[in-house]
Each structure stands twice: as C-alpha cells, then as structure tokens.
Amino acid sequence: MVNKDWTKVSPALSEPVLNCIKKQNFQFMTPIQAAVIPLILSCKDVVAEAVTGSGKTLAFVVPMLEMLIKKQKEAPLRKDFVYAVIISPTRELATQICTVIELFLQESELSHITTGLLVGGRPVEVDVETMQKGAHIAVCTPGRLEDLLGERKQLNLAGRLKELEILILDEADRLLDLGFSTTLTTILQYLPRQRRTGLFSATQTKELQDLVRAGLRNPIVVSVKEKSTISTPILLENYYVIVEPQDKFLFLLNFIRNRKIAKGLFFLPTCACVDYWADVLPVFLPDIKIFAIHGKMKLKRCKVLEKFRSTDNTILLCTDLMSRGMDIPEVEWVLQWEPPASPAALVHRVGRAARGGARGCSLLPLLPTEDTYVPFIRTNQLVELKDWRHSKDEIKISPKLKEKVLAMLHEQQKKDRSILDKGQRAFVSHMRAYTKHECNLLLQFKELPLGHIATSYGLLKLPLMPEIKQQHKDQFVGPGEEIDFNSIPYQDKQKEKSRLQKLEEYKKTGVWPSKKKKKMMQTQSWEQAKQNKEDRKLKRKKRKEWKAQNSTEGGKKKKRKAVTQEELNELAADIALMKKLKKRKITEDQFDKEFET
C-alpha cells in the first residue's frame, strides 16, 4: 500500500514546501504524486501516465522546487540562469501551472526563486524583457520557447540554460497531437544532457515513445490508474442520450434550464460554432452567464478564463482547447454537442469534471445513426456511457415549444446580419469537421440529415454546399415566409454602412465589389476535392518516376546533349507557367493540364 502522507516522502520534503502544502489544504498525496515525487527527488527520469484530474501538476512542481532548494544550498542561484523549464501545450495551461508555482513562492524561504511565463498571444518583446530580468523557472509553450532560443540572439537563452536542472513536458501526448514534434526536437538540442526530465501525460502513444527515446535517459515508467474497468475518475458519471437531429439544440436547452448548473463546460465542434451559439444562447438563458473561448481568440482567452473561474451559475462554450489539463474544480457538468474528432479526446473532455475527488457528470447527445458509438467508446477508451433516459426523468419536447424556440432563433438572425453570417459559417464548419472524424466508419457524413441539422441551428436558409441534395432541402424547416435577405441589416453601424455601399454598386453592375474570383475546386464537394488532390499527387509521382527512368541508361548517367533554342523556349514557357501558378493567376488543375501538353 502506498503511503500518502506528505511528511513521509523519501527523501524528506523541506519545511517551506510542507508549509505551503499545508496552507493550500493538500492533505494527502494522490497515487501519481506518491509514485513520482520520490523518483524525481532521487534524480531519475520519469515517464508518468495517469488519468486526467489525478494531480499531475503537484507531482512535478514539488520535486522541482526541492531541487532548486538543494541547488541554492550548494551555491546561490544566479539571476541570469534558468534552472527549470516546464513546457505546456497551451498558454492557458501554462498560466495555470505558473499560478500553482507562485502559491509556493509566497513562502518567505522560497521568495528568492523567480518565474517567467513565456507564451504566445502577446509581443515576444514582453518575454525577452521577462528573461532579461531573470527567471529561475520558465513555464512556456513550445512555439514561443523555440522562437526565443533560435531567433533572439541578443537574449542568448541557450547560454542561460546551461545550468538546467530539470525539464518537464506536461500533457506530452497533446504536445505531439498539436504537431509540436519537430519543435520539441529542436528545443532538446539546445538543452544540456545532464538534467532530469519528467514526461507527464494521460495517454501513451507510439509518438510519445519516440519522444521518450529521444529526450530521456533510462526513464522509469509510472502508470497509475483507478482500480476499475474505466479510464475516467470513479466519481464521474457519464451519460449519453439519443436525440433526433432537428431537436438537439432544444433538448440541450431544456436540459440546461432544468439543472441548476453552478459551472459547466459546453464543447462545440469548431470555433465558428462557439461564436454563433455565444451570440444566440444568452437570449434563451437570461439567468445564466455565458462565456466563450476558442483557439482563434488571441488576446481575450486568459481574461475569459479568469471571469469564468470567478463567476457562479455560468457555462463556458469552448472547443477542444479546454479539453486538456485545465483544472477548474467547481465544474459540475460537461456537455458536448457531438463526439469529438478523436476518441481519446472524449476522456479528456469529460475529465474536466469530477476533479480532485469531487463528483461530476457529463452528457453526450447522439443521433440515431450514431448509436454504435456507445459500445465503440466502451471498448476503445474504456468509457462507460449510461443511457440518460433510463437513468433520469425524460425531458419531453412539445411541438409548441419547438416552434417558439425556432421562431426566436429566426428572429435573432433577422435583426442582426452578423448572427445570420455566423450561423451559416458555424453550420458549414461543423459539417466539414464531421468529415474529419477519426472513427468515420461509425460517424459517416453521408448518413447525416443535413436539412434537420440546419433546422436545429435555426438557420434562415440552407448554405450553398454541393453536399446538400434535394432530400436535405425537403428536411429543412425555415421561417415559413419569403425573406428579402438584402434588407437584413448589421447592428454594427460601420459594417452596415459598408454593406449598403456595396449593395448599391451591386445593383448597378451586377457584381458584388468585394467578391473575389474563386477557384473551381471551391465549388466541388469535399470528397471530390480530396480525390482531385490525390490524383495530382499521383501525376507528380509518375512524372518523377518517368524522369528518373529516362535520366539514366545502363546504370550510367547520359551525356548531356547540346541545348537547342526550341528547348530553351519550352523552358521559358514552363517558368512563366510556374510564375502564374505562384501568383494564383491559374489553378493547379490548369497548371497540370498546360504543363503536360
């Protein structure tokens, strides 16, 4: 049995660290903390895997501070040296880790240790100034750290890292999912080999094993899981509900109204979906504060998150940006519009609730065509989804309520053209995202009733998409009246003035002023566009093979022949053609056609 008493860690923890642990009411160690902290303190490289919400942050913060205290006893910490680096996949998670560290640094014995937060979304000069002032601990995102290492010669960050004691890769699997593999490889080349490394994640992947071999020396692998047959916290109840596509929004709306949710997360498929529902939902939920956050918000994200943390009776609309590492203990409910693109992401989404031993719930609405997702996710990710209608009282949707809600959605778009535009973008981006599901054998785009889904969005009209067929048009329920879409104004006076000017020009010339000529590919379906792309790749491959076959004869290089004027003319024509493609004066299809002729 693992001893979970903080005072009995071996090697023993210092008094300042124990005092802060006591003040923050961290009474007992979690299993991952009990397993990992002694290993790092005994100078071992560690690969730690544990379910979300298991306390991984303290598992590396505590031994990191202990190592700096030990270093301080040997010689004073130099102001211009960085002794610990923590790399996080998102700026929100990096900020959260920095906040946890600063709680410990409030102790007078630790106040001499400085931290620096190096993240994107702000001028790089801010981080340069931070490092010049001095930061013994650097908490950063990989892109910003790579930029400071390679591009800011005057800072000489690589020189400041020569005394590095410990490197932590938090949510390492997410770092690789976001495409930071090359960036991490570059960063590791700047760091001294004589260091301790900790790699923390909720799941293990092949890519992660490759990173382990590249960045760690004989690491000890620690895998801590709940004593159960599921991969989510024991106190988390996960539900699903089968709902008709045209009723999904109404079902979720009634669900939220009938629950007194102090804090909830609502995961939506895309950034455009977050923008649309953030404008629409407050009208239906006047007593609940609605916040919105997604990856395309560059400067507002931290402020939104702070407001959400400090507000009660609130729901945060978000993308998978919020699915990893974020610790908001008060989250009671996690709602989802549909299954995430990756099956593993479901574990991380629902893990935002039931953190730190608290209870929590999640709900996943599924369409009738998606019912096989329940046994799939049970087998693939060990997530047991219970049927909400069997577990709780069924929420009934009356025809009158359906008509009223639909009319309210239509009315909002008639009043403000920006909401109309956002609704169209949200629907199109949602459908595009659905085609990219990893488990597309179960979640097939061709089975989606696009007209019913557009009805659930409350759209005034169906967008122009090649995927929308006559059957989808028959499914769609619109406002039931003829609408002059040119008469719908923007509430923003500046945008409305610009639109009216363009409308006048359009009436005179028949051409919308800002409308750019679109490539033919943009009018094709996504499946056809993908096929065309594969065909072009195949043509290029054949062209390369043909050149390779004709460049040699009998294993020896052919002698170069004299270049004729005709060949020079052909070369000049090819170069001119390539310049046209580069300047986008012709499409790739036109280029391939003319090049082959």
Side-chain angles (χ1 to χ4, degrees):
M1 184 73 179
V2 177
N3 193 324
K4 296 184 179 181
D5 190 343
W6 285 101
T7 60
K8 295 183 180 180
V9 176
S10 180
L13 300 180
S14 62
E15 197 66 29
V17 172
L18 286 173
N19 287 342
C20 187
I21 289 171
K22 187 176 180 181
K23 286 180 183 178
Q24 299 303 322
N25 204 25
F26 301 129
Q27 296 181 359
F28 300 102
M29 286 188 288
T30 63
I32 189 67
Q33 293 163 358
V36 168
I37 291 175
L39 291 174
I40 298 180
L41 289 177
S42 57
C43 297
K44 305 289 185 183
D45 283 1
V46 175
V47 177
E49 177 190 6
V51 297
T52 184
S54 57
K56 292 192 288 291
T57 303
L58 280 188
F60 60 77
V61 167
V62 168
M64 178 190 69
L65 291 173
E66 288 293 337
M67 293 177 77
L68 293 184
I69 291 171
K70 182 181 177 181
K71 185 80 172 176
Q72 172 71 18
K73 290 178 180 178
E74 295 173 358
L77 299 181
R78 288 183 53 175
K79 175 186 172 182
D80 55 341
F81 277 5
V82 179
Y83 296 95
V85 170
I86 302 172
I87 301 177
S88 161
T90 66
R91 67 190 70 155
E92 289 77 20
L93 183 53
T95 303
Q96 178 179 288
I97 294 169
C98 204
T99 302
V100 173
I101 295 172
E102 286 171 354
L103 290 175
F104 284 86
L105 301 188
Q106 291 174 2
E107 291 293 313
S108 58
E109 295 92 336
L110 300 175
S111 59
H112 64 282
I113 298 175
T114 57
T115 60
L117 180 63
L118 315 176
V119 296
R122 60 188 185 187
V124 70
E125 288 73 23
V126 174
D127 294 333
V128 171
E129 186 178 349
T130 298
M131 296 309 298
Q132 287 174 339
K133 289 180 180 178
H136 299 132
I137 302 171
V139 186
C140 48
T141 49
R144 181 52 58 94
L145 180 58
E146 183 187 32
D147 182 30
L148 291 172
L149 281 168
E151 302 298 330
R152 307 289 156 178
K153 305 297 182 184
Q154 74 279 13
L155 179 62
N156 189 24
L157 183 55
R160 295 170 183 264
L161 289 166
K162 66 181 182 181
E163 292 292 326
L164 185 72
E165 288 286 321
I166 184 168
L167 168 68
I168 299 295
L169 301 177
D170 191 27
E171 299 290 350
D173 51 340
R174 180 62 173 162
L175 284 167
L176 298 177
D177 287 344
L178 292 174
F180 287 122
S181 178
T182 305
T183 301
L184 291 175
T185 302
T186 302
I187 291 171
L188 291 174
Q189 293 173 354
Y190 284 96
L191 305 182
R193 294 182 179 275
Q194 297 297 323
R195 64 168 193 273
R196 297 280 64 80
T197 304
L199 190 149
F200 292 77
S201 70
T203 55
Q204 291 288 330
T205 63
K206 179 184 179 300
E207 292 79 8
L208 202 59
Q209 295 304 319
D210 293 339
L211 182 61
V212 168
R213 287 192 289 271
L216 285 77
R217 297 182 303 167
N218 300 321
I220 297 176
V221 179
V222 178
S223 183
V224 177
K225 298 180 180 179
E226 303 278 3
K227 290 183 179 180
S228 68
T229 58
I230 60 174
S231 60
T232 55
I234 293 176
L235 297 177
L236 177 64
E237 296 180 77
N238 297 307
Y239 297 100
Y240 77 95
V241 62
I242 302 296
V243 60
E244 293 298 326
Q246 64 269 32
D247 297 334
K248 184 182 281 191
F249 170 65
L250 190 54
F251 174 85
L252 287 167
L253 181 63
N254 275 350
F255 186 89
I256 295 169
R257 282 174 169 172
N258 294 345
R259 306 247 109 58
K260 292 183 178 179
I261 300 177
K263 265 189 175 58
L265 293 180
F266 191 170
F267 285 94
L268 292 160
T270 67
C271 301
C273 292
V274 172
D275 288 335
Y276 174 62
W277 291 114
D279 280 354
V280 167
L281 266 180
V283 175
F284 297 95
L285 302 170
D287 298 329
I288 298 177
K289 183 66 177 175
I290 303 294
F291 292 104
I293 189 170
H294 58 69
K296 291 183 179 179
M297 294 179 177
K298 298 302 180 185
L299 303 177
K300 293 167 42 177
R301 279 160 41 179
C302 290
K303 291 181 180 179
V304 169
L305 203 51
E306 287 174 11
K307 289 179 181 178
F308 174 68
R309 288 178 188 274
S310 60
T311 306
D312 292 326
N313 197 26
T314 178
I315 290 177
L316 178 65
L317 308 183
C318 56
T319 58
D320 276 329
L321 173 76
M322 289 293 295
S323 66
R324 299 295 293 267
M326 298 309 300
D327 185 22
I328 306 173
E330 304 87 357
V331 172
E332 299 174 344
W333 274 95
V334 172
L335 306 176
Q336 303 175 72
W337 185 269
E338 68 178 15
S342 163
L346 183 75
V347 177
H348 301 296
R349 281 185 176 185
V350 300
R352 297 312 97 204
R355 298 183 70 81
R359 291 188 174 275
C361 301
S362 74
L363 178 69
L364 174 63
L366 295 172
L367 304 183
T369 57
E370 300 170 338
D371 58 344
T372 52
Y373 188 79
V374 176
F376 165 77
I377 206 69
R378 183 192 304 125
T379 305
N380 186 271
Q381 293 294 322
L382 301 179
V383 177
E384 185 69 38
L385 297 175
K386 304 174 188 175
D387 191 338
W388 173 261
R389 296 187 192 276
H390 291 169
S391 306
K392 306 291 180 182
D393 295 332
E394 186 174 338
I395 298 175
K396 296 181 179 180
I397 300 173
S398 67
K400 287 186 178 180
L401 180 61
K402 189 186 296 187
E403 289 179 12
K404 183 181 178 181
V405 169
L406 200 56
M408 291 175 69
L409 285 169
H410 292 158
E411 195 60 33
Q412 289 191 65
Q413 295 177 65
K414 290 176 187 176
K415 288 182 178 179
D416 190 353
R417 194 178 192 86
S418 66
I419 298 179
L420 170 66
D421 293 343
K422 287 178 181 179
Q424 297 284 308
R425 283 196 294 269
F427 177 79
V428 173
S429 68
H430 176 194
M431 295 303 98
R432 186 182 289 273
Y434 200 93
T435 64
K436 298 177 182 178
H437 272 287
E438 287 184 12
C439 43
N440 51 19
L441 290 177
L442 301 177
L443 309 176
Q444 295 189 17
F445 177 77
K446 64 182 180 181
E447 293 185 5
L448 287 184
L450 303 185
H452 288 322
I453 295 174
T455 300
S456 182
Y457 269 76
L459 301 184
L460 289 180
K461 61 177 180 178
L462 285 170
L464 296 174
M465 295 168 55
E467 287 75 17
I468 292 179
K469 311 301 181 186
Q470 185 58 47
Q471 66 190 51
H472 303 135
K473 295 177 182 178
D474 296 337
Q475 297 165 354
F476 180 63
V477 179
E481 59 179 332
E482 288 293 329
I483 295 177
D484 180 10
F485 288 97
N486 285 333
S487 65
I488 298 177
Y490 285 111
Q491 291 295 316
D492 185 302
K493 294 181 180 179
Q494 190 75 19
K495 289 182 73 174
E496 178 59 13
K497 182 180 177 182
S498 175
R499 185 187 77 87
L500 290 175
Q501 289 174 350
K502 292 175 182 177
L503 185 59
E504 284 298 318
E505 191 171 339
Y506 171 73
K507 289 177 179 178
K508 294 177 182 177
T509 63
V511 178
W512 194 262
S514 63
K515 194 171 184 180
K516 296 179 181 178
K517 292 182 180 179
K518 297 184 178 180
K519 295 180 183 179
M520 292 298 292
M521 281 180 61
Q522 292 179 327
T523 62
Q524 299 171 341
S525 66
W526 296 317
E527 291 84 354
Q528 186 61 45
K530 185 178 179 181
Q531 184 60 46
N532 290 344
K533 187 176 181 181
E534 292 299 322
D535 291 343
R536 288 195 300 274
K537 282 184 179 179
L538 186 60
K539 285 180 183 178
R540 285 195 290 269
K541 184 179 179 182
K542 287 182 178 179
R543 204 154 51 223
K544 285 183 180 178
E545 290 175 352
W546 183 85
K547 287 180 180 179
Q549 289 172 0
N550 288 274
S551 63
T552 59
E553 186 176 316
K556 296 181 180 180
K557 288 185 179 181
K558 285 185 176 182
K559 292 182 179 180
R560 183 178 293 179
K561 297 179 181 179
V563 181
T564 65
Q565 185 60 41
E566 185 180 353
E567 289 173 334
L568 288 174
N569 292 339
E570 286 183 7
L571 179 61
D574 289 343
I575 292 172
L577 198 61
M578 291 173 69
K579 286 182 178 180
K580 284 184 180 181
L581 178 64
K582 189 174 181 181
K583 294 179 180 179
R584 299 182 180 178
K585 291 182 178 180
I586 58 172
T587 65
E588 289 189 16
D589 287 338
Q590 291 171 331
F591 172 78
D592 288 338
K593 187 176 180 181
E594 292 187 34
F595 190 84
E596 288 175 2
T597 56

